Amino acid sequence: MSQNFSFRLLAQDGAARTGEISTPRGEIRTPAFMPVGTAATVKAMHPERVRATGADVVLANTYHLMLRPGAERIAALGGLHRFMNWPRPILTDSGGFQVMSLARLRKLSEEGVAFQSHIDGSRHMLTPERSMEIQHLLGADVQMQFDECVRLPCPEDEARRAMELSLRWAERSKRAFVEVPGRALFGIVQGGASPGLRLESARALVAMGFSGYALGGLAVGEPQEVMLSTIETTVPELPVDRPRYLMGVGTPDDILEAASRGIDMFDCVMPTRAGRHGLAYGRFGKLNLRNARHADDPAPVDAESPNETTRTYSRAYLHHLVKAGEILGMMLLTEINLAYYQELTAGLRAAIAAGRLDEFRAATKEGFARGG
């Protein structure tokens, strides 16, 4: 394991690439899917089981941990890795998206965002400097600049205002970032659905110099083709020797298509949220275990899955657990989903390394279309 943060490109197939991010806490194989552990837990999962699915890194949330239990408290207890019993790399988002989407009362200014907690109504101020301080206290290996995310569709003048503010906040985040060996700060490209704004944002961030670059403000309601077009516009402007992270994405098909266009890192609540609501993702698309057709089905979700849980428990039993509201149903389906997302990214890595990406994409999409 490296004592510094670095990215090594291992192979390419067209725009797609596979590589390895090195950190003092372990390597992250790319393309990588990061399970979301918003409040210092991947919901319904033991940390050991998250790792067993193949995850190299998890994501935690600055906004939520700032409000509860508090960054200072976590730091006093030994940092986020010890607190949540996850010794491997952790990425923290900056809190900007949650401030925009969850806070009941908020006021945006050049300084930052004043908001009221969705938990107890207490008032807070989140700035680039405070976001960096919180992420440092948590001890995150990969930290994100503070930014403003706008929902799509949005007028171009509003997208420009938010993009330019995010660039100024990027400069302040970079100045406030606490340099610790092995830790990295990523910039976030904004600009809505405007190719010109995305290019302007990407070029300005690259000139500032970050350890990695994220595409933010996507998967917020726009059609997939808009997201993919934005990736195609932006990726060529980003350095080849730095990781590229598509924030908040997405469905298995989104990951397949975005990785094919050069994205290295993904996160999304979809597999864990779906697992808590009776849905299973797999090679043959999405299964709704609430449906009565599964009640007498002795077959597992996927008998050929590399994950033991996926190939062990019958659809009939999972249907029973879901209908009965049993916690075990949520746990098993969450693991099944996270395991499939890791299987998908492992398949991408192998296909890119072998120069067989087109074949892998076609076979994967054929499986999705076949259904379970």
Side-chain angles (χ1 to χ4, degrees):
M1 289 187 290
S2 170
Q3 291 308 302
N4 296 308
F5 180 94
S6 64
F7 174 70
R8 183 164 63 109
L9 187 62
L10 299 177
Q12 290 183 268
D13 187 349
R17 53 203 221 148
T18 183
E20 188 176 80
I21 299 169
S22 293
T23 80
R25 293 187 180 273
E27 279 68 48
I28 303 168
R29 299 161 294 174
T30 66
F33 179 77
M34 301 181 287
V36 176
T38 300
T41 172
V42 177
K43 287 181 172 60
M45 290 285 287
H46 290 282
E48 298 83 2
R49 296 308 301 166
V50 175
R51 176 60 177 155
T53 66
D56 292 333
V57 52
V58 299
L59 179 145
N61 185 272
T62 293
Y63 170 91
H64 288 281
L65 294 175
M66 169 189 72
L67 295 179
R68 185 172 55 194
E72 285 76 9
R73 176 171 288 152
I74 290 174
L77 291 167
L80 185 56
H81 296 83
R82 182 180 298 176
F83 186 64
M84 65 183 289
N85 192 29
W86 178 263
R88 295 190 58 79
I90 295 174
L91 180 147
T92 45
D93 62 10
S94 68
F97 178 78
Q98 282 72 30
V99 166
M100 294 299 120
S101 65
L102 294 180
R104 287 179 292 153
L105 298 174
R106 57 187 176 266
K107 183 178 181 182
L108 179 73
S109 68
E110 186 70 30
E111 179 63 16
V113 183
F115 67 95
Q116 191 170 348
S117 166
H118 71 285
I119 297 170
D120 60 10
S122 58
R123 297 185 180 277
H124 302 265
M125 182 74 180
L126 194 55
T127 65
E129 292 77 15
R130 178 57 177 157
S131 176
M132 290 296 97
E133 180 185 27
I134 292 166
Q135 294 182 74
H136 172 66
L137 287 167
L138 296 175
D141 304 280
V142 179
Q143 303 174 24
M144 303 303 297
Q145 72 149 101
F146 191 58
D147 67 324
E148 182 189 358
C149 177
V150 294
R151 292 196 176 279
L152 298 179
C154 120
E156 179 137 352
D157 59 346
E158 174 66 7
R160 170 168 290 281
R161 183 202 59 74
M163 182 273 286
E164 291 177 347
L165 179 62
S166 292
L167 286 177
R168 294 192 294 275
W169 283 358
E171 292 178 329
R172 287 169 56 189
S173 296
K174 196 166 189 298
R175 287 195 300 269
F177 175 65
V178 180
E179 297 279 355
V180 174
R183 295 187 187 174
L185 176 64
F186 283 22
I188 304 176
V189 178
Q190 291 288 359
S194 165
L197 294 181
R198 290 283 177 173
L199 290 173
E200 191 175 332
S201 175
R203 290 165 182 165
L205 289 168
V206 170
M208 292 181 206
F210 289 88
S211 295
Y213 298 88
L215 278 70
L218 294 171
V220 288
E222 79 283 2
Q224 186 193 53
E225 57 265 27
V226 172
M227 178 185 76
L228 297 179
S229 174
T230 302
I231 294 169
E232 291 169 358
T233 297
T234 308
V235 159
E237 298 297 322
L238 303 177
V240 173
D241 63 347
R242 306 293 165 92
R244 304 160 180 166
Y245 165 29
L246 182 59
M247 303 181 76
V249 173
T251 67
D253 189 63
D254 286 341
I255 291 172
L256 187 67
E257 292 297 335
S260 299
R261 290 162 170 78
I263 296 297
D264 304 306
M265 302 168 69
F266 303 89
D267 81 280
C268 190
V269 299
M270 195 169 291
T272 48
R273 180 175 291 164
R276 298 194 305 277
H277 291 86
L279 301 174
Y281 282 99
R283 289 186 300 137
F284 305 117
K286 188 166 60 174
L287 285 178
N288 184 350
L289 273 305
R290 292 184 175 276
N291 287 349
R293 70 185 179 95
H294 300 296
D296 297 302
D297 190 345
V301 170
D302 184 353
E304 298 179 20
S305 170
N307 176 257
E308 183 179 9
T309 298
T310 308
R311 64 177 187 268
T312 299
Y313 291 90
S314 72
R315 299 182 185 197
Y317 182 56
L318 293 168
H319 170 79
H320 159 68
L321 293 176
V322 169
K323 296 298 285 185
E326 288 289 343
I327 294 171
L328 180 60
M330 300 180 189
M331 296 172 66
L332 295 176
L333 286 170
T334 298
E335 179 173 339
I336 286 168
N337 291 344
L338 289 179
Y340 176 68
Y341 271 61
Q342 297 302 332
E343 180 185 348
L344 176 63
T345 50
L348 279 164
R349 293 192 296 266
I352 294 166
R356 296 187 303 101
L357 179 62
D358 287 344
E359 179 184 335
F360 178 79
R361 282 176 68 194
T364 302
K365 285 177 174 288
E366 184 181 340
F368 293 161
R370 170 182 155 183

